[in-house]
Amino acid sequence: MSLMDGQRQKTQNEQLALAFMTEGEGEARRAAQEGTEPFVASNDLESPARDDGLMEQICARDNVMKAWQRVRANGGSPGVDGRDIDDTAAYLREHWPSLRDQVLQGTYQPQPVKRVKLPKPGGGFRNLGIPTVLDRLIQQAILQVLQPQWDPTFSEYSFGFRPGRSAHQAVAQAQAYVAEGYGWTVDIDLEKFFDQVNQDMVMGRAAKRISDKRLLKLLRAFLRAGVMENGLVSPTTAGTPQGSPLSPLLSNLILDELDQELTRRGLRFCRYADDCNIYVRSQRAGERVMSSISRFLIQRLRLKINESKSAVAPVGERSFLGFCISNQGKPQRQIGPKALQRFKARVRALTQRTLGVDLPRMIAPLAQTWP
């Protein structure tokens, strides 16, 4: 970032910090500058008409400013409104007070997400939904309030999209199961989970944790905002779009019920988002688990199983998050065959001789930055 860009960003942040103030905070700031007594606004968080006050926490200046900094750091493409980060910053400086009122009053209406299709390594496409930068900001502000409340209640064997947890921890836990003698894996593949998850079930589980009806209404609005593809908007009656800040948290909310069921049965498992492997001692046990858990997913959670990609097999024959675990002697992690093929293909693409650049520039994308 150049010095000029850094100064411009600092100025934008200062201006947005003022825009994100509540009316009472703004009166206090002006009073301090003018040497007069400020108007003291009532404390929304203590108002009995505001349920549990979650919306006031979400719209608090510090929370929104933190959300803005995260959205800016993540970057990303504009949504259906065409506004990029800088355009949205200018829009917020003028319109945030009225937007905040809409959010607090429960009248804010998110815009449809822009659908982008990304090729999957194994063939086919993954649907990515890109919300507008403004909607990303509001979703991020919601996430920052809900995640600290919900995350401690999730299973210790759930590793995806959670603070302080990673895919490497999930693979290490799987390796520990194999070391204990659980050498068979029940690998259940959920078909298009993020596109197919039942929205009524999402809202039902959210309602058990949220008493602020304004927030429940806003979550429903985000789920039902619609999708724009090729200039046409289609309604969304199922799924939670990949690419939105709230989607990972809502997916963990639904699949936490699977985690609870597996724990209740005393099964050993690792889950990373919708990738869940269960570890057993024998093929026979694995087949029983596959049958019963598949019924649970279909009947209780209303999810679809991709039978062609699901299997009961020795751990060395299946990959989990790109790794295979050897069951010969001391369990060891190895890069899975498909992941290795993708890596080699990427290296060949980055180092092909037809690029017409010198060696240092050719290998620069391959360099790793060490801490």
Side-chain angles (χ1 to χ4, degrees):
M1 179 185 297
S2 68
L3 182 61
M4 183 175 296
D5 289 338
Q7 183 61 39
R8 184 173 68 248
Q9 181 174 329
K10 180 180 179 181
T11 301
Q12 287 182 348
N13 287 342
E14 291 172 347
Q15 292 172 341
L16 284 173
L18 292 173
F20 291 153
M21 281 185 174
T22 64
E23 181 179 351
E25 289 172 328
E27 290 287 347
R29 172 65 64 85
R30 285 190 291 273
Q33 293 173 343
E34 298 169 1
T36 60
E37 290 295 323
F39 166 75
V40 180
S42 62
N43 189 339
D44 284 333
L45 294 180
E46 297 178 357
S47 171
R50 294 300 189 183
D51 299 307
D52 54 10
L54 282 177
M55 292 302 295
E56 281 70 32
Q57 296 178 45
I58 289 165
C59 291
R61 181 189 60 181
D62 289 347
N63 186 58
V64 178
M65 197 66 205
K66 179 181 176 183
W68 173 255
Q69 291 167 352
R70 176 59 62 89
V71 169
R72 173 178 281 283
N74 289 341
S77 304
V80 297
D81 62 358
R83 294 194 189 100
D84 61 13
I85 296 291
D86 290 336
D87 294 334
T88 304
Y91 182 79
L92 287 170
R93 286 194 293 273
E94 182 177 353
H95 297 285
W96 174 247
S98 62
L99 292 169
R100 179 181 183 275
D101 287 344
Q102 292 175 33
V103 173
L104 288 173
Q105 294 168 14
T107 60
Y108 179 79
Q109 184 57 50
Q111 297 192 60
V113 300
K114 182 169 66 175
R115 172 163 288 173
V116 177
K117 292 184 179 293
L118 300 179
K120 298 173 67 174
F125 293 89
R126 174 181 290 107
N127 290 326
L128 181 68
I130 303 176
T132 65
V133 177
L134 174 58
D135 285 341
R136 297 205 293 269
L137 170 67
I138 296 174
Q139 287 195 39
Q140 181 65 34
I142 295 172
L143 176 68
Q144 290 169 181
V145 171
L146 293 185
Q147 189 165 52
Q149 297 181 13
W150 294 5
D151 192 79
T153 70
F154 293 154
S155 169
E156 63 178 303
Y157 303 110
S158 165
F159 296 89
F161 307 118
R162 298 181 61 189
R165 291 173 173 262
S166 68
H168 287 288
Q169 291 175 336
V171 176
Q173 180 63 65
Q175 185 176 349
Y177 290 144
V178 177
E180 294 171 3
Y182 295 86
W184 286 75
T185 182
V186 181
D187 186 355
I188 302 177
D189 185 273
L190 298 177
E191 184 174 347
K192 296 183 178 180
F193 169 76
F194 288 93
D195 294 334
Q196 300 294 336
V197 65
N198 186 284
Q199 293 182 353
D200 290 333
M201 296 193 70
V202 172
M203 293 306 304
R205 272 114 185 113
K208 293 180 180 179
R209 296 170 178 255
I210 298 172
S211 61
D212 195 321
K213 293 181 174 57
R214 297 168 298 166
L215 179 53
L216 290 172
K217 181 179 179 181
L218 182 57
L219 290 177
R220 172 73 78 174
F222 276 119
L223 290 174
R224 293 290 179 88
V227 174
M228 177 176 285
E229 189 173 13
N230 298 323
L232 299 176
V233 176
S234 302
T236 48
T237 57
T240 173
Q242 292 189 74
S244 68
L246 277 174
S247 184
L249 180 64
L250 297 179
S251 69
N252 276 332
L253 178 64
I254 283 292
L255 291 175
D256 182 62
E257 192 162 343
L258 169 62
D259 299 341
Q260 294 178 20
E261 180 67 15
L262 295 173
T263 300
R264 186 185 67 81
R265 298 186 186 192
L267 295 170
R268 288 153 178 81
F269 70 96
C270 296
R271 183 174 66 79
Y272 190 94
D274 58 331
D275 288 329
C276 183
N277 278 17
I278 307 166
Y279 296 87
V280 296
R281 292 186 182 274
S282 67
Q283 181 178 5
R284 184 176 180 183
E287 290 171 349
R288 288 199 305 268
V289 170
M290 171 68 83
S291 177
S292 61
I293 294 300
S294 294
R295 284 197 302 272
F296 176 84
L297 289 167
I298 294 169
Q299 296 174 6
R300 183 67 177 269
L301 300 186
R302 304 179 193 176
L303 298 172
K304 296 181 180 180
I305 308 296
N306 189 332
E307 296 183 2
S308 65
K309 294 184 178 180
S310 302
V312 176
V315 291
E317 296 180 7
R318 305 291 292 185
S319 64
F320 179 51
L321 302 177
F323 288 89
C324 293
I325 301 175
S326 170
N327 196 24
Q328 304 299 320
K330 183 179 179 180
Q332 294 181 342
R333 279 177 272 176
Q334 301 173 342
I335 299 177
K338 292 183 179 179
L340 187 58
Q341 289 176 6
R342 291 196 298 269
F343 173 74
K344 290 180 178 179
R346 179 62 175 160
V347 170
R348 284 194 294 268
L350 291 173
T351 58
Q352 57 183 306
R353 295 184 177 183
T354 57
L355 290 176
V357 297
D358 56 23
L359 185 60
R361 291 178 60 190
M362 179 184 293
I363 67 174
L366 302 175
Q368 295 184 357
T369 303
W370 297 94

